[in-house]
Amino acid sequence: MEPSAPSHRALLRALESNDPGLARRHAFDIVALRDKVGRVEEFPDVAVPKQAVGETTETATALELWLGFEMPTSLRLDRLLANGLGISRSRLQALEE
């Protein structure tokens, strides 16, 4: 058992009480679901809350992004960034180069 994994008793209590966090983790664990059924259709539209940290200017020449997900995902980062920045994926690739 992994060090961060709950004990069997704690897991049983969480299951018996319909713990919302546990239910969410299992319901949206794409990796585990794929292991069971092979293919999982994911929702193409994802809402990503954004927050500017530090000073922002109109003439910025660099952008640093931090992404964190609660659970494993197979989202394509290029698609997510292009959509969030309002540009095409080919434009995003040109900017990266």
Side-chain angles (χ1 to χ4, degrees), residues 10 13 17-19 28 31 36 45 52 56 60 63-64 66 68-71 73-74 77 81-82 86 89 95-96:
R13 278 193 303 273
S17 68
N18 291 319
D19 179 83
F28 293 99
V31 174
K36 300 291 183 203
D45 298 324
T56 58
L63 176 64
E64 181 178 340
W66 295 357
F69 297 97
E70 292 177 34
M71 294 166 268
T73 182
S74 63
L77 186 56
L81 289 173
R89 289 182 20 225
L95 288 171
E96 180 184 23

Side-chain angles (χ1 to χ4, degrees), residues 8-19 22:
H8 292 291
R9 282 190 187 144
L11 178 58
L12 181 59
R13 278 193 303 273
L15 290 168
E16 289 174 339
S17 68
N18 291 319
D19 179 83
L22 181 67

Side-chain angles (χ1 to χ4, degrees), residues 13 20 28 30 34 39 57 63 65 88:
R13 278 193 303 273
F28 293 99
I30 298 300
R34 280 200 180 110
R39 181 181 166 101
T57 66
L63 176 64
L65 300 169
S88 68

Side-chain angles (χ1 to χ4, degrees), residues 10 41-42 55 66 72 89:
E41 294 294 328
E42 294 185 58
E55 187 177 323
W66 295 357
R89 289 182 20 225

